[in-house]
Amino acid sequence: MSTQEQKPKNQTDTDTESADEDIIAGSSPQQRRLREKRGKEIPTPEEKAQSEDSIHLKVFRYDPEVEGKQEPRFDDFHVPYYKGMTVLDALIHARDHFDSSLTFRHSCRQAICGSDAMFVNGRQRLCCKTQLSDLEEPVRVEPLPHQEVIKDLVVDMEHFYDQMEAVEPYFQTNDLPDGELDEQRQSRENREKVKMSTRCIWCGACMSSCNIAAGDNEYLGPAAINKAYRFAMDEREGTDMKEHRMRILEQEHGVWRCQTQFSCTEVCPKDIPLTAHIQELKREAVKNNLKFW
Amino acid sequence: MYEHDVIVVGAGGAGLRAAIAAQEEGADVAIVSKLHPVRSHTGAAEGGINAALRDGDSWEDHAYDTMKGSDYLGDAPAIETLCQDSPKETIQLEHWGMAFSRDDDGRVSQRPFGGLSFPRTTYAGAETGHQLLHTMYEQLVKRGIKVYDEWYVLNLAVSDEEVPEDRSCHGIVAYDIQSGEVSGFRARNGVILATGGPGQVYDHTTNAVANTGDGVAMAYRAGVPMEDMEFIQFHPTTLPSTGVLITEGVRGEGGILYNKNGERLMFEYGYANNAGELASRDVVSRAELTEINAGRGIDDEYVHLDMRHLGQERIIDRLENIVHLSEDFEGVDPLEEPMPVKPGQHYAMGGVETDENGETCISGLYAAGECACASVHGSNRLGGNALPELIVFGRRAGAHAAGKDLGTAKITTGKRGEWEAGEVDTPVAPGAVGGADEDAVADGGKAPDSGEPSDARRASSRAERSDGGAVATTGDEIVDRAVDAEHRRIDRLMNKDDGVQHAEIRSAVQKSMTRHVNVFREKEGLKQALRDLREARERYTDVYVDDPSRTYNTDLIQTIETRNILDLAEAITLGALARDEFRGAHWRKEHQERDDENWLKHTMLSWNDGSPELWYKPVILEGEEKTYEPKIRSY
Ligand SMILES: Cc1cc2nc3c(=O)[nH]c(=O)nc-3n(C[C@H](O)[C@H](O)[C@H](O)COP(=O)(O)OP(=O)(O)OC[C@H]3O[C@@H](n4cnc5c(N)ncnc54)[C@H](O)[C@@H]3O)c2cc1C
Ligand code: SF4
Ligand code: FES
């Protein structure tokens, strides 16, 4: 994991809780200025808090560069609510109308880019895929736990990427068809078998939810193991390759670290049966070993 | 300063393919991207990749369908290249392990798509783009290609000869989003723009928030013409509340469109008596809106797309992703009820003018993918033709930039070939506020001649420039100069402590565009849009960044993106106002006929010292062996 020490490690049990109430909603200078400028167009947060269709967000804030934000804290936002509104919609509204410095990653708005995984009401979720109506108020939005926070809701993903890359995440085969227009046929069943594993969007939710990964920095983690599964189970790669992949997975910080807690499977927004995949690889590893004995 | 042979801007399908190709030619290549590669919007593509792979199909048929789909505004050399190269490129992906859907015999599956005379759309469920993007990124990792991710490219470093065609590109200036560092990137051989579409010009779009047309705007301000910008594709089946796309694959598999009376509208009202739901996108989008305007829409807003009769098994096998999207983003379970759908902005047929090798009129500057216009889609893109465009032209641009000789291009770029001056009657002057010399905040194009140099080096590069206009400085100096200009732009945006915020401007632009420059276009509406855009531009001169931080400052990035959105919105509207005919996706109330006599030509806009200059160049209908004769387009 990167070792920039000035960045706080975001723990779920943050001790800034007590400071929450001190931060009166909408009292930051930007917010005040904006309100003055736009006059009545935007109701004050206080007004909104009274209206039934507003939603109360408590959002984690931290910026190493800005005085006053160097200590992590929570800001309150009261966002006008409409049916179908997602957590991401609410964050965008808060940013565009109340505080343009509120920072988070997002892009596709459709659960495919994987950039807006956050810790919402105590669970890793994709904000764009999470309806506010499914959550209790106030909605607490925090960065993914167990990752370094860069700013506000943005975490450092380098370690996640490193682990993904550690499993040789690319297709490798020794017998490609000769013709450049010939396919390497794959049975429907085999594609079906690897299908779920190919759906990973690298959001990092699973890693963030995993206790083992939190305690063991070198543990490959559920996403990377799933990535390896995707290739190890692909019949087109051939047996030599599979053995090579199993060696990577069997290493000390590989599949055997998993203690079958299912937290990764629970949070994966793409419903990938991560724990099942890890278990299956453990069984393969046992088979492999028997063969070598 | 960072230095590489080839620098690719953007890491979607086009950028990744370009980088791989450049490396295969032996170049030291790097990608600079504002998103991590797997977050690029190519991942959202659903339906598939067109490639003539099977007996009974041929690249010639694919080319014919594409030319017809384009409403004869495509250039034959580009279309033929697309269709010839696509099979090989598609199978290349297969060889890289891409998880395509499979037939019983283990071959990759293909399905019908709108406007295609053969079921030639190769797919991976309804998540083709995700599989494609990840497969290509895997290859990048395998090859160890350097990626500068979360670096925002601010501008190109281009020499400043009078005539754009004499200019050359030597690199880029980029901003490290995480640290706030602004740096020059020197490209020894070439820069390839692969920055994707401009969906954020509209407020109801299938596109990601990152799709702000940055590359097109940068190239435009550096002197490369934008081609056919008025041709915006509206996809007929997007979810009404979010714009999330429901793939054409649903109709390809047999999905049916109904109006509020339960009538199968495509046939009932004669919009496409043969192809029905599978007519091309412009036809279906207009049909739906006509229904809605005639009071036969549901909630006056949308129509229904029903796929229940396909059966759960087929749906799960081929369209599973659609079930999730509809449930998650619209709260509708399409196995149980029809999905609400309406047209939404989807794709830009126009973009940076390139030849079929991906090169622009500025030497060393290339473009590929949705940001480019080699002119394969003309006035209407067929579904499943963008993904092959990424891999075919991505590869060509990459290889060419790395020095591979692809032969002489048949499409000429810039004002070198035959061209005709254009004129359009605008209610307000378009272009930069205050002309070419306005300050860097509002322009971001040319380096302003005023402003305090912050050190001696800056002073000297400016001195050299002012004494002779087009002084041939070295590539390094040109990059340094561009870096200085961007430093100044950022400093001004950050140091200003009051003014307008980008979000207000952006939203005003998006609303006006959706209202006036949508599927149906009228002269007065288009003029109103130009007035709105003018106003937005004026407000932009007062824009400022509220977030004082140098760390992950999305406020700053979005402010700069908004400038790009403004330039693109204006180009789209100017083109739409100029083109007084009805062709492909471009419908004009006052002009309901395709006018081949006057309009078999591309709309070009060049940034001429701060104001857009309109001109035209002819369409190339002569292919390798035959000439495509414009025919009435019926489905
Ligand atoms: C929902 C949806 C479904 C689609 N389905 C299909 C389909 O089924 N078949 C088909 O053929 N086509 C489809 N299309 C169209 C096709 O997917 C797109 O045209 C294509 O993916 C665009 O790819 P690209 O590589 O050009 O750009 P993108 O994938 O958008 O990538 C752009 C890249 O540029 C980078 N970038 C942008 N600006 C900057 C900057 N200033 N600095 C640095 N980096 C920058 C971004 O980070 C990103 O990496 C679909 C499109 C959408 C939106
Ligand atoms: S496996 Fe699931 S939770 Fe983990 S990174 Fe991939 S998509 Fe996210
Ligand atoms: S915004 Fe892309 S996954 Fe949520």
Side-chain angles (χ1 to χ4, degrees), chain B residues 316-625:
Chain B
I316 296 300
D317 183 38
R318 304 187 186 185
L319 297 163
E320 183 185 339
N321 187 39
I322 298 306
V323 178
H324 300 311
L325 291 174
S326 175
E327 277 185 330
D328 293 341
F329 298 102
E330 201 68 36
V332 168
D333 175 2
L335 297 173
E336 301 288 332
E337 40 185 336
M339 295 173 275
V341 292
K342 72 173 195 183
Q345 191 283 345
H346 182 57
Y347 186 87
M349 269 81 73
V352 178
E353 184 206 32
T354 70
D355 61 28
E356 68 274 29
N357 298 329
E359 199 167 13
T360 70
C361 71
I362 291 186
S363 74
L365 182 62
Y366 297 76
E370 191 171 336
C371 70
C373 182
S375 203
V376 284
H377 309 304
S379 63
N380 175 62
R381 171 175 75 88
L382 294 182
N385 260 357
L387 295 179
E389 175 188 20
L390 307 182
I391 50 183
V392 166
F393 293 102
R395 181 187 69 83
R396 294 179 82 87
H400 195 22
K404 189 179 169 84
D405 182 7
L406 297 174
T408 323
K410 296 184 195 106
I411 301 172
T412 52
T413 54
K415 273 191 181 165
R416 279 176 277 216
E418 291 172 59
W419 63 277
E420 165 199 342
E423 224 178 296
V424 57
D425 171 27
T426 56
V428 283
V433 177
D437 295 331
E438 64 174 311
D439 71 30
V441 176
D443 189 336
K446 237 173 154 181
D449 286 325
S450 58
E452 289 306 304
S454 58
D455 59 34
R457 182 173 48 79
R458 292 179 193 190
S460 79
S461 67
R462 202 183 327 279
E464 273 179 21
R465 210 162 63 90
S466 52
D467 64 23
V471 185
T473 44
T474 66
D476 283 358
E477 281 167 334
I478 289 169
V479 175
D480 278 338
R481 194 178 71 201
V483 171
D484 289 345
E486 292 308 314
H487 266 297
R488 282 196 300 275
R489 169 153 77 147
I490 290 176
D491 288 349
R492 299 186 81 134
L493 288 167
M494 301 276 290
N495 293 339
K496 192 164 153 53
D497 45 38
D498 205 352
V500 189
Q501 294 204 318
H502 71 82
E504 283 184 52
I505 300 172
R506 195 184 275 214
S507 127
V509 170
Q510 291 173 336
K511 289 212 168 72
S512 180
M513 292 298 287
T514 302
R515 176 133 182 244
H516 300 298
V517 201
N518 217 301
V519 177
F520 293 133
R521 299 164 174 190
E522 299 176 32
K523 188 172 181 184
E524 271 320 304
L526 295 170
K527 289 190 165 176
Q528 186 53 45
L530 286 175
R531 283 187 210 104
D532 295 346
L533 289 170
R534 188 73 199 163
E535 193 188 321
R537 251 193 215 285
E538 269 157 23
R539 293 177 78 198
Y540 193 86
T541 57
D542 193 27
V543 80
Y544 82 115
V545 173
D546 208 18
D547 185 354
S549 181
R550 284 271 167 182
T551 303
Y552 223 97
N553 194 332
T554 52
D555 194 5
L556 172 67
I557 302 294
Q558 292 187 306
T559 301
I560 293 170
E561 288 172 347
T562 300
R563 166 67 211 270
N564 297 333
I565 285 176
L566 269 168
D567 282 348
L568 264 51
E570 189 178 79
I572 293 166
T573 313
L574 279 173
L577 185 60
R579 187 172 285 271
D580 46 19
E581 66 155 352
F582 165 23
R583 184 182 299 270
H586 174 66
W587 181 98
R588 281 285 301 265
K589 187 172 181 196
E590 308 85 1
H591 308 277
Q592 292 280 323
E593 298 275 318
R594 187 175 88 190
D595 176 2
D596 286 343
E597 201 172 316
N598 294 307
W599 284 106
L600 224 42
K601 59 191 182 191
H602 299 291
T603 318
M604 314 296 294
L605 277 176
S606 297
W607 187 249
N608 196 348
D609 264 348
S611 75
E613 181 191 357
L614 177 72
W615 52 284
Y616 301 104
K617 68 170 192 178
V619 173
I620 310 175
L621 294 174
E622 299 84 49
E624 237 166 57
E625 272 159 26

Side-chain angles (χ1 to χ4, degrees), chain A residues 114 117 124 126 157 160 164 196-197 199-209 222-224 226-227 264-265 267-272 274:
Chain A
Q124 286 79 1
L126 285 185
M157 295 289 287
F160 177 85
M164 288 301 257
M196 291 311 288
S197 67
R199 296 219 169 134
C200 173
I201 54 174
W202 298 42
C203 70
C206 53
M207 271 295 248
S208 160
S209 77
N226 174 69
K227 188 84 184 167
C264 54
T265 306
V267 299
C268 175
K270 296 311 237 185
D271 300 326
I272 301 170
L274 294 163

